[in-house]
Amino acid sequence: MTTNDVYGEWKLGDLRVRRMGFGAMRLFGAGSPEGAVEVVRRAVELGADHIDTAAFYHQGTVSANEAIRAAGLGDEVVVATKVGPYRGPRDAFPTGELAAGDLRGEVERNLRELGRDRLDLVYLRTGGLEEPDGRSIGERFAALARMREEGLVRHLGVSHVSAAQLAEAREIAPVVAVQNRFDITRERDAALLETCEREGVAYVPFFPLGGFGLPDDARLREVAGRHRATVAQVMLAALLALSPVMLAIPGTGSLAHLEENMGAASLRLGADDLALLRR
């Protein structure tokens, strides 16, 4: 653990990770494969031992999975990936969902691209960016559970799910993490977070900084001023302060932004800060 990390660790099944990790979705912002590799390596140097990726995280010449593989990370770095969305060769973003029978191909693709014999954590990602639709995920999650039994996958998670979908998945196989949309200004998933706390399941928000630009929020600016921090650092530290099961995975292709994000692990927010932010 880095000496300035005030938020400690949490578990992903039998794996313990620092609560400040790194998300690889925005690595394309590095501008080149070499730049992306540099960002991944620097993230690990700064203390990230949990990296979140996906085979469909690619844009231009940059592939997140290939950058992670080229970075030459050791086994002490936990790499989580996700399957479920379908992205065509000309799509900028995934536009559909894979059927249960197609998930094996995506798991095998992640294994090849990451250069691993077994994936540490695989999420079943459902739907798009709208609210979870509540449809059954049992058939597709059961397909991943079989791959876990075969040894291709160590742990399973679910992403962009409702409470009912999480419960359905947990009836099939252990779920060690939930990855849903959440930030300190958008706590619409508070009830599911409480479930994760009660059951000891990690909660890993995507779009922890709002998704499409930082929120223009006077409360964030006030807390940032109190601590001589940036708004981004306050948003990340607030997530970690909110719940012990929360893992942050901010993403960037910029070394400067990476340094800023990882610095949030040393920003200790108090109860008064959280009360203001959640007002």
Side-chain angles (χ1 to χ4, degrees):
M1 188 182 303
T2 54
T3 56
N4 64 341
D5 185 344
V6 301
Y7 290 104
E9 299 178 338
W10 189 251
K11 57 185 183 292
L12 293 168
D14 63 340
L15 303 170
R16 295 199 69 86
V17 296
R18 298 183 184 109
R19 293 177 58 211
M20 179 64 76
F22 176 73
M25 183 177 71
R26 299 181 185 273
L27 275 176
F28 65 87
S32 69
E34 296 78 15
V37 171
E38 185 179 6
V39 171
V40 173
R41 287 176 175 162
R42 184 59 178 149
V44 174
E45 289 174 359
L46 291 171
D49 60 1
H50 167 213
I51 295 179
D52 183 85
T53 187
F56 52 87
Y57 287 175
H58 60 84
Q59 186 167 323
T61 61
V62 176
S63 158
N65 277 359
E66 291 173 4
I68 291 166
R69 178 177 183 174
L73 308 181
D75 292 340
E76 68 276 8
V77 178
V78 174
V79 177
T81 189
K82 58 193 71 66
V83 297
Y86 170 76
R87 178 179 175 181
R90 297 183 180 179
D91 293 334
F93 301 98
T95 57
E97 287 189 335
L98 295 171
D102 297 321
L103 295 178
R104 178 176 292 273
E106 279 298 284
V107 167
E108 292 174 346
R109 177 185 174 187
N110 277 278
L111 287 166
R112 289 193 305 271
E113 291 181 354
L114 291 167
R116 297 198 166 202
D117 296 324
R118 181 170 67 164
L119 299 172
D120 293 326
L121 168 59
V122 176
Y123 293 94
L124 175 64
R125 173 64 159 85
T126 73
L129 293 180
E130 69 284 351
E131 293 299 313
D133 59 24
R135 291 181 296 171
S136 172
I137 62 172
E139 182 181 4
R140 291 193 298 155
F141 193 76
L144 290 182
R146 288 191 290 272
M147 286 179 257
R148 174 179 172 269
E149 292 171 357
E150 294 171 27
L152 298 178
V153 177
R154 187 168 184 166
H155 296 298
L156 297 175
V158 288
S159 176
H160 199 56
V161 295
S162 66
Q165 288 170 323
L166 171 59
E168 180 184 23
R170 295 185 71 210
E171 288 291 323
I172 296 168
V175 173
V176 305
V178 171
Q179 190 173 123
N180 276 11
R181 184 170 184 176
F182 190 99
D183 68 65
I184 197 63
T185 69
R186 185 185 186 280
E187 295 188 22
R188 300 179 189 175
D189 215 27
L192 198 146
L193 173 59
E194 290 179 2
T195 298
C196 289
E197 290 174 340
R198 186 170 60 252
E199 302 298 335
V201 174
Y203 188 97
V204 191
F206 67 83
F207 291 163
L209 297 178
F212 301 100
L214 293 173
D216 182 12
D217 191 306
R219 297 167 301 170
L220 290 169
R221 293 192 297 271
E222 180 177 338
V223 175
R226 290 179 187 174
H227 294 274
R228 297 183 181 180
T230 67
V231 166
Q233 287 174 329
V234 168
M235 293 185 73
L236 293 172
L239 287 176
L240 298 178
L242 183 62
S243 171
V245 306
M246 191 82 75
L247 305 181
I249 50 166
T252 182
S254 161
L255 287 170
H257 288 162
L258 173 65
E259 299 266 355
E260 176 185 344
N261 290 343
M262 296 300 293
S266 63
L267 176 59
R268 188 186 297 277
L269 299 184
D272 55 339
D273 295 317
L274 289 179
L276 173 61
L277 293 173
R278 303 181 74 190
R279 184 181 300 167

